[in-house]
Amino acid sequence: MTVAATAASRPPHPGRNYRLLTAAAIITALGTHGALIAAAFAVLKAGGDGGDVGLVAAARTAPLVLFLLIGGAIADRLPRHRVMVAANALNCLSQAAFAWLVLAGDPKLWQMMVLTALCGTGQAFFNPAAEGMLMSSVSREQASRAFALFRMATQGATIGGAALGGAMIAAMDPGWVLAVDAAAFAVAGALRAFLDVGHIPPRTAGGGLLADMRDGWQEFIGRPWLWSIVAQFSVVVAAVGAAESVYGPLVARDELGGARPWGFALAAFGAGTLGGALLMTRWRPRRLLLAGTLCVFPLALPSAGLAVPLPVGGLCVVMFVSGVAIEVFGVSWMTAMHQEIPEEKLSRVSAYDWFGSVAMMPVATALAGPVESLVGRSEALWGCAALIVLVTGAVLFVPEVRGLTRAPETTEVATAKAPGPFSADAEGSVGRLG
């Protein structure tokens, strides 16, 4: 049964599930984006260097890579909201323990890595379930505007979360920011427990978890524009992750005056995503992936800005521009995925999408410190910018990337599924740049 076949049972506007998902995502965005800054500065406060910051960042993304495919298969077998609530509970407990260690004083590197890895494990199960749940909550005729409004709301929370996180770290211990994140996961998980999955057809018994994963692989690999853009983003996400998770806090500490300016820069990125989402509530590009891919090029600007380095005002400008650009990509991508992927396979395809997109992230963040020592911080950042430009240019040679078009508005609810991409999730950290 496809998304189109279930659309008639939904109201003309996104309903209760959409509102609950949006509210929960806003709450976690407020906590998570401050906590990402807090984790880096907690490592530095404990006496760590750039390499240690990279190791803790890698500890978060390594289990994300390891468990994503399993998480996607489970989310297509079990009620997705239960998977989301369980993942939120794990995130809450791990962040609460991290906060306690930091506030108690003298946290060990291995302890921070273990707790961060638990948080990444929760995200591995949460992300595919969340994407599938959001996309199954709207009909095709609602999709583009609903996704833009969802992202606009959550990115608005990102602005507040990043600015608040930077201000809190400047005024108090990073552990308090981590404690706020733990509380946010608890509240968001409680909201998600009330999601209604009655509109989703019951899952038919399959051939087991491995068979479901193979089925998702066939759905994924049969779409050249899907796997080519995911391959592109394996490099883009790695480059952006190294620049913003590792080098960014170091540049802020050494060149910009500490955590507060970096918080402002991240808030400017959030403001850009808010503006981009607002743009996408009105603009409906016909060639979804062509418009989105052209907007990946500006993601090289923050790395270049840090390499110079630009003053705080200039860095905020390039972060704002990249935020606008990634929202054009994000909404176009989510709309294409909703249009092209059968509802019963959304989480599995999303898992392969996430897996490919973040596969290089642990390696990039772990190697960021050694690369900086080998070639210098500025040279490493210029390299990140160059990689983003090169792989984005390469993917434009794929005909399907240039040619996939939006379904006609007058027939999109009745249009059957055809052969398609990934989306950004508000809780995905750098992952998916949302």
Side-chain angles (χ1 to χ4, degrees):
M1 190 173 187
T2 67
V3 172
T6 60
S9 64
R10 302 194 192 96
H13 300 287
R16 179 172 173 272
N17 275 1
Y18 178 83
R19 293 192 296 271
L20 283 172
L21 288 165
T22 302
I26 289 171
I27 292 167
T28 46
L30 283 169
T32 297
H33 288 275
L36 292 173
I37 309 171
F41 280 92
V43 175
L44 295 174
K45 180 187 174 185
D49 57 15
D52 294 330
V53 172
L55 287 173
V56 172
R60 182 186 182 95
T61 51
L64 183 62
V65 173
L66 287 174
F67 296 113
L68 264 172
L69 300 184
I70 297 173
I74 288 176
D76 275 343
R77 294 173 69 90
L78 300 178
R80 290 183 179 127
H81 69 309
R82 293 183 183 174
V83 179
M84 295 166 70
V85 171
N88 283 168
L90 178 58
N91 289 145
C92 173
L93 293 174
S94 61
Q95 288 295 77
F98 196 174
W100 182 83
L101 279 176
V102 174
L103 292 171
D106 195 29
K108 302 296 187 292
L109 179 63
W110 71 266
Q111 294 172 324
M112 292 186 284
M113 291 178 66
V114 168
L115 291 171
T116 304
L118 288 174
C119 196
T121 301
Q123 289 302 119
F125 286 87
F126 176 87
N127 290 342
E131 288 197 2
M133 193 72 209
L134 176 62
M135 292 186 188
S136 69
S137 297
V138 298
S139 68
R140 183 176 292 180
E141 62 185 349
Q142 301 164 349
S144 184
R145 181 174 173 81
F147 296 150
L149 290 172
F150 175 86
R151 293 173 67 95
M152 184 166 63
T154 55
Q155 299 301 353
T158 298
I159 299 172
L164 180 62
M168 287 180 68
I169 295 165
M172 61 186 71
D173 197 288
W176 290 112
V177 184
L178 296 168
V180 169
D181 190 35
F185 276 119
V187 175
L191 288 176
R192 289 166 176 142
F194 291 100
L195 291 168
D196 179 11
V197 295
H199 67 282
I200 299 176
R203 310 301 184 197
T204 57
L209 198 63
L210 289 177
D212 284 352
M213 292 168 65
R214 285 195 300 269
D215 192 28
W217 170 253
Q218 292 301 321
E219 194 76 27
F220 172 79
I221 201 64
R223 306 167 192 274
W225 47 274
L226 173 55
W227 58 256
S228 63
I229 290 183
V230 170
Q232 169 206 8
F233 264 74
S234 69
V235 177
V236 171
V237 172
V240 172
E244 297 189 6
S245 296
V246 181
Y247 299 137
L250 295 173
V251 172
R253 182 191 66 181
D254 297 341
E255 306 286 347
L256 303 178
R260 186 187 295 269
W262 185 234
F264 289 153
L266 293 177
F269 176 82
T273 61
L274 183 62
L278 181 61
L279 169 66
M280 293 305 288
T281 63
R282 298 289 185 179
W283 185 37
R284 298 168 62 85
R286 181 171 176 270
R287 296 195 178 189
L288 291 165
L289 297 183
L290 178 60
T293 300
L294 289 174
C295 286
V296 179
F297 285 107
L299 295 184
L301 293 175
S303 296
L306 288 168
V308 173
L310 292 175
V312 176
L315 186 59
C316 287
V317 169
V318 299
M319 293 287 278
F320 178 85
V321 170
S322 66
V324 172
I326 198 57
E327 280 306 294
V328 176
F329 172 83
V331 175
S332 298
W333 184 265
M334 292 182 78
T335 304
M337 187 174 183
H338 184 274
Q339 175 179 301
E340 303 297 327
I341 305 298
E343 189 281 330
E344 67 274 10
K345 298 180 181 180
L346 278 171
S347 291
R348 277 170 286 175
V349 173
S350 293
Y352 278 102
D353 164 16
W354 274 94
F355 178 83
S357 300
V358 303
M360 296 298 294
M361 183 72 157
V363 177
T365 51
L367 292 180
V371 170
E372 178 190 7
S373 300
L374 182 65
V375 303
R377 186 183 299 164
S378 180
E379 290 76 8
L381 282 162
W382 282 118
C384 290
L387 282 172
I388 293 169
V389 172
L390 287 173
V391 298
T392 303
V395 84
L396 289 174
F397 286 96
V398 179
E400 291 86 351
V401 172
R402 302 192 306 272
L404 188 141
T405 57
R406 183 187 301 272
E409 196 167 321
T410 55
T411 60
E412 59 182 358
V413 174
T415 302
K417 288 286 183 179
F422 78 1
S423 76
D425 175 76
E427 298 177 23
S429 177
V430 156
R432 304 295 267 286
L433 311 167

